Amino acid sequence: MHPNALLDSCSVLLKQVLKFEHPADMVVSRHFREQRLGPRERATVAETIYTVLRKKNLFTYLAQHGSGPTERRLAILGFAAERDFLLGALTEPEKDWLARCDQVKPADLMEPHRHNLPAWLVEPLKAQLGDDFWPLVDSLNAPAGLDLRVNTLKDKRSEIQKELAKAAIKTVVTPYSPWGLRMSTKPALNKLEAFTRGAIEVQDEGSQLLALLVDAKRGEMVVDFCAGAGGKTLALGASMRNTGRLYAFDTSGHRLDALKPRLARSGLSNVHPVAIAHERDDRIKRLAGKIDRVLIDAPCSGLGTLRRNPDLKWRQTPKAIEELVVKQTAILQSASRLLKPGGRLVYATCSVLREENEAIAEAFGVANKEFAPLETSSVLTHLGVEGAAKLCSGPYLRLWPYLHGTDGFFAAIWQKTAAA
């Protein structure tokens, strides 16, 4: 494709994405269905869009000093292909403007153009992280790698690593998860035999560790309370060695539908997807006091996933966070009623904000004395995770992209000590 046509495709798509009416990945997918682009062109367009979303403050500032449509200038700044290829699409004034942009030094920029965050998010993160604010920002503004979880019901991690190497896919074992492999590239996994037979699934190492914390055992009754498309459900089912009964609850039947093909590949027969109306659904009440382990990967702001979903920082608002906190509190309270005495409760998010994490856990602990908090570092150490203390802050799991190479995750664990 001619560079100008590719740049035009990026500009058209950016105009849609920057309305922030829908998640960026949905808008990009729809664009690709409507436009006939090859794999390389799709990769260039997608990465251009995500680069602009990551650095929107900076690029908007630089774009003010150029000419022509704003979306085209933003696409030029974020264009994810060789510079010589890009220059073939530019006018002489555009080339001059881009050369001036290249000379801007990060140290000379104002803070908003360096951190590329909405103003409302800056102070909470600075208050929480202090000097680590800028390392976090740098990590969030870089693309994420790709982690795989090996389905231990079917294969060993070492064998899958060898199999992928034969397909010219280099991986390293994840440093903490016993199930994970990390890739530096993003190959077409769905064409691999290991994928089609259910031996591997795409899952961030942090998400794998959340499932590990549940420590689901053979023959138990387990609930994944906010299962979504079921990444953690599949990991839990494998931990249970396909025995017992694993309920995958979610309020979205559409998300649960996305679990079905993954479930078929996985070889699991102990998983029972259940669409619920809300956290107080009668189907949940019928299981009260009968469940051994409950995982709540709560609906959250998703701000721990900005490496993959940079549009979230522009789509979220403080009011939306307040509404989520109410929902998270209600879900945790309702889900806790499922547990039998001695049962384990895990509350988790992929948020980096304290109000969605520690504040929720602390309030639950105060209101529910029959739930005793467990130290996540002790649980992970018991499960054989080396360096578990590095993953935790106080009693909680706290994963950060700049420290651990994962998305941002939080988890708290309790054990029910007596009948409520």
Side-chain angles (χ1 to χ4, degrees):
M1 179 180 277
H2 189 276
N4 213 23
L6 200 54
L7 194 57
D8 285 345
S9 186
C10 293
S11 302
V12 168
L13 181 51
L14 263 177
K15 191 163 189 175
Q16 293 300 313
V17 169
L18 292 175
K19 291 176 183 176
F20 298 117
E21 293 171 353
H22 304 285
D25 58 349
M26 284 175 54
V27 181
V28 171
S29 295
R30 186 179 65 211
H31 180 80
F32 289 160
R33 286 195 299 272
E34 295 169 354
Q35 304 287 323
R36 297 183 67 178
L37 297 172
R40 285 187 65 182
E41 284 90 358
R42 283 200 300 271
T44 299
V45 170
E47 196 47 51
T48 298
I49 300 304
Y50 284 100
T51 300
V52 173
L53 288 169
R54 288 187 188 101
K55 300 185 176 181
K56 186 169 81 73
N57 283 355
L58 172 61
F59 287 176
T60 301
Y61 164 71
L62 294 174
Q64 292 172 357
H65 304 283
S67 59
T70 300
E71 290 83 12
R72 180 176 169 89
R73 279 175 272 154
L74 294 173
I76 290 168
L77 290 166
F79 199 63
E82 295 80 8
R83 177 53 65 91
D84 287 346
F85 183 77
L86 169 63
L87 292 175
L90 303 187
T91 63
E92 288 306 316
E94 285 174 334
K95 288 176 187 175
D96 292 342
W97 163 73
L98 185 57
R100 291 196 303 276
C101 292
D102 288 342
Q103 290 167 4
V104 175
K105 295 181 179 137
D108 296 335
L109 293 168
M110 294 172 63
E111 277 204 2
H113 306 143
R114 287 173 57 205
H115 60 56
N116 289 286
L117 293 171
W120 67 268
L121 188 53
V122 175
E123 286 312 313
L125 289 179
K126 281 188 172 180
Q128 193 177 163
L129 291 165
D131 291 342
D132 279 0
F133 171 76
W134 289 104
L136 172 66
V137 163
D138 290 341
S139 68
L140 292 178
N141 284 331
L146 198 63
D147 294 347
L148 304 175
R149 179 185 58 80
V150 174
N151 181 357
T152 53
L153 198 64
K154 293 193 168 193
D155 288 273
K156 292 182 177 166
R157 178 165 67 170
S158 57
E159 294 303 313
I160 292 295
Q161 192 172 26
K162 289 174 191 169
E163 184 178 337
L164 293 175
K166 285 179 185 171
I169 297 172
K170 187 179 177 185
T171 62
V172 295
V173 298
T174 46
Y176 306 109
S177 169
W179 310 320
L181 293 170
R182 179 162 293 160
M183 302 183 292
S184 55
T185 57
K186 296 182 180 178
L189 293 172
N190 58 356
K191 298 197 171 99
L192 292 175
E193 207 272 327
F195 181 84
T196 56
R197 74 169 189 271
I200 54 172
E201 282 282 344
V202 174
Q203 187 177 24
D204 185 79
E205 182 184 21
S207 182
Q208 295 178 37
L209 289 172
L210 298 185
L212 191 70
L213 283 173
V214 178
D215 194 21
K217 298 278 204 301
R218 289 173 181 268
E220 289 185 330
M221 296 261 284
V222 179
V223 169
D224 186 353
F225 201 81
C226 305
K232 284 175 273 301
T233 307
L234 299 175
L236 293 171
S239 292
M240 296 163 72
R241 308 307 296 170
N242 205 17
T243 64
R245 196 168 181 87
L246 173 55
Y247 291 96
F249 289 146
D250 204 274
T251 55
S252 168
H254 178 69
R255 283 196 293 265
L256 289 175
D257 285 343
L259 167 60
K260 288 174 184 173
R262 303 174 79 187
L263 199 53
R265 285 196 306 271
S266 73
L268 293 171
S269 56
N270 65 337
V271 177
H272 301 271
V274 181
I276 56 174
H278 44 69
E279 72 273 5
R280 301 174 311 284
D281 194 294
D282 284 344
R283 279 164 285 199
I284 296 166
K285 290 178 182 174
R286 285 199 288 270
L287 293 171
K290 297 177 182 177
I291 303 299
D292 294 288
R293 295 169 198 266
V294 175
L295 169 63
I296 305 156
D297 182 14
C300 72
S301 64
L303 293 170
T305 70
L306 292 183
R307 301 181 305 165
R308 302 174 201 284
N309 305 299
D311 59 310
L312 280 176
K313 60 186 173 183
W314 310 117
R315 292 174 56 233
Q316 287 292 6
T317 64
K319 186 173 187 303
I321 304 294
E322 288 175 16
E323 291 169 358
L324 282 166
V325 164
V326 173
K327 186 182 287 188
Q328 289 155 355
T329 302
I331 287 172
L332 177 55
Q333 192 62 51
S334 288
S336 71
R337 298 186 186 115
L338 289 167
L339 286 149
K340 60 170 70 166
R344 177 176 295 187
L345 177 64
V346 178
Y347 171 81
T349 76
C350 54
S351 173
V352 291
L353 294 179
R354 193 180 186 283
E355 57 259 51
E356 296 185 83
N357 295 330
E358 287 90 347
I360 297 282
E362 288 161 9
F364 176 80
V366 168
N368 297 272
K369 296 301 184 187
E370 73 275 19
F371 283 87
L374 299 180
E375 296 276 340
T376 52
S377 59
S378 300
V379 171
L380 288 172
T381 300
H382 176 72
L383 292 167
V385 175
E386 291 185 22
K390 296 181 204 166
L391 307 175
C392 302
S393 174
Y396 308 119
L397 181 79
R398 257 298 198 168
L399 301 178
W400 298 94
Y402 72 99
L403 287 177
H404 309 114
T406 67
D407 287 341
F409 281 103
F410 170 88
I413 314 176
W414 297 270
Q415 185 168 358
K416 189 171 184 182
T417 56

